[in-house]
Amino acid sequence: MTDKKQIVIKKQVVDDSLANLLETSKGIYAALLSSTDGHALAKKAVDELSDARLAAMTSSCLALGEKIAIEAQQVGCNFVIIQNTNGFLVMRRVGKKLVITTLANNNVNLGMVISATNVAAENLEKEIRV
Amino acid sequence: MSELKLVITGTAGVGKTTAIQSLSDRPPIATESETTDELSEIKSTTTVAFDFGEIYLDDGNVVHVYGTPGQERFRHMWEIVAEGAIGFIILVDSSRDDPVADLKMYIDNFKTFIDETSAVIGVTRINEFNGQCIEDLYCFLEKEALFYPIMAVDPRDKSDMSQLMLSLLAMLEYG
Ligand SMILES: Nc1nc2c(ncn2[C@@H]2O[C@H](COP(=O)(O)OP(=O)(O)O)[C@@H](O)[C@H]2O)c(=O)[nH]1
Ligand SMILES: [Mg+2]
């Protein structure tokens, strides 16, 4: 890990942050930490989660959200939210190179998921050494 | 006036984003994220959704050109970006280990789309040592009974890229 491009973050901190996120509510059933260029780094899930595909798609989606914000003359895209009939996904950038994605069903409200994701992201941001 | 949709694809680092920057008559849209893997030895950012540029042709038509991400993990974007395209520009990096295998992969991946449209091949990073690469690519296409033009191009050069694009448009018109 001598390459300075490498993202350095303590595994324990990541695992704890993701675990806390899932403990916030029974409605939150998975959380994924990935790089903004689309690699899965860590996950916590109640059931199976195909993290590789989700990580790549998340990075596309986040980049698009940021471009759409700029096109609309807005800045600082913090969250991309995908709301569906049976649940939602909340994506939030963590520092420059990471993104956290929270998957929830309808048993929890969106505000709570956003807030919990924010807490996890802020915890991780404090810990990142790039 | 009509809008024509073209797609540029090829391996990561071949020059797709650069090509769209050279071609576009308006500031292009790029979706670059910082590279965190071995690609960072070659470049610091990579396309994660798509590139988009607009080219105004002399005949009044507008070309919308989309660039795909190169890496297979972004396959989900390939299908989204390819939808409705009338032609494909496949860029092949002559400095890589097996340019023929690279070309084959992108032809296979976009086969259902390319079969209904057409394609041209641009070969990048050609120098005095690897000119044979173009021969190899010709042989491969001939074996596959595919007749797509092949040109050496520098993605940084607007006139190179315009010629490649115009040869694709000409094929679509008369092919
Ligand atoms: N010297 C040289 N550089 C090239 C050539 N083709 C591409 N490049 C460089 O390779 C890089 C390609 O990056 P980019 O356009 O982001 O590649 P993409 O992944 O296909 O979008 C750029 O820095 C280009 O200037 C070439 O034919 N000669
Ligand atoms: Mg690119």
Side-chain angles (χ1 to χ4, degrees):
Chain A
M1 303 279 152
T2 48
D3 184 352
K4 64 179 183 305
K5 286 255 170 202
Q6 204 79 40
I7 301 157
V8 181
I9 187 162
K10 285 202 194 83
K11 186 173 182 308
Q12 193 57 51
V13 176
V14 170
D15 290 347
D16 290 350
S17 297
L18 296 183
N20 287 341
L21 187 48
L22 259 72
E23 270 164 28
T24 312
S25 159
K26 277 210 155 45
I28 298 177
Y29 64 88
L32 171 71
L33 184 71
S34 53
S35 64
T36 50
D37 66 343
H39 295 289
L41 301 171
K43 67 173 168 180
K44 180 95 188 152
V46 173
D47 296 314
E48 288 286 287
L49 180 71
S50 70
D51 54 344
R53 286 165 55 87
L54 200 57
M57 288 180 173
T58 298
S59 73
S60 303
C61 194
L62 189 69
L64 266 185
E66 286 170 353
K67 287 295 150 168
I68 294 168
I70 291 168
E71 198 64 30
Q73 278 147 40
Q74 301 187 9
V75 290
C77 172
N78 279 331
F79 289 96
V80 175
I81 295 154
I82 303 178
Q83 176 122 39
N84 310 303
T85 40
N86 59 345
F88 39 86
L89 289 89
V90 170
M91 299 165 218
R92 187 206 192 270
R93 192 184 266 281
V94 180
K96 270 187 89 173
K97 295 187 178 180
L98 300 177
V99 52
I100 189 164
T101 305
T102 308
L103 290 75
N105 61 32
N106 280 331
N107 299 329
V108 52
N109 77 44
L110 178 59
M112 190 155 166
V113 178
I114 290 178
S115 158
T117 307
N118 218 8
V119 169
E122 281 171 1
N123 273 338
L124 292 172
E125 274 168 348
K126 273 185 247 154
E127 295 292 331
I128 301 172
R129 303 277 172 277
V130 181
Chain B
M1 189 196 86
S2 59
E3 288 177 2
L4 312 171
K5 175 174 174 178
L6 301 181
V7 167
I8 303 187
T9 193
T11 51
V14 69
K16 302 176 293 295
T17 299
T18 308
I20 289 176
Q21 280 162 355
S22 304
L23 278 170
S24 187
D25 292 321
R26 294 187 55 197
I29 296 173
T31 57
E32 298 288 300
S33 284
E34 282 192 48
T35 45
T36 65
D37 51 22
E38 62 285 350
L39 187 65
S40 62
E41 285 158 29
I42 302 168
K43 43 179 210 156
S44 58
T45 66
T46 192
T47 306
V48 296
F50 59 77
D51 299 301
F52 174 76
E54 288 172 85
I55 300 133
Y56 305 104
L57 300 177
D58 293 339
D59 63 10
N61 289 326
V62 184
V63 176
H64 285 180
V65 57
Y66 288 77
T68 69
Q71 302 89 332
E72 271 204 86
R73 66 178 181 279
F74 294 113
R75 183 176 284 276
H76 59 278
M77 287 309 308
W78 295 356
E79 280 153 32
I80 295 172
V81 170
E83 195 61 47
I86 60 157
F88 288 77
I89 296 173
I90 303 176
L91 294 183
V92 178
D93 183 344
S94 61
S95 71
R96 278 170 54 92
D97 288 346
D98 192 349
V100 170
D102 292 340
L103 175 60
K104 182 175 176 351
M105 184 187 88
Y106 288 95
I107 287 180
D108 287 349
N109 278 315
F110 288 98
K111 192 160 189 5
T112 49
F113 295 102
I114 298 178
D115 277 352
E116 289 171 21
T117 59
S118 196
V120 293
I121 320 295
V123 185
T124 71
R125 293 199 181 85
I126 282 285
N127 58 36
E128 61 265 46
F129 307 112
N130 63 11
Q132 176 65 29
C133 172
I134 293 191
E135 289 298 307
D136 296 344
L137 294 170
Y138 266 121
C139 287
F140 164 74
L141 287 184
E142 203 162 49
K143 256 198 350 245
E144 301 281 312
L146 298 170
F147 303 98
Y148 307 141
I150 303 181
M151 288 167 62
V153 293
D154 186 329
R156 299 165 296 179
D157 186 295
K158 186 183 171 96
S159 77
D160 272 17
M161 290 314 304
S162 294
Q163 265 189 47
L164 188 64
M165 180 188 73
L166 292 174
S167 70
L168 176 59
L169 293 175
M171 272 177 67
L172 293 166
E173 205 163 340
Y174 307 112

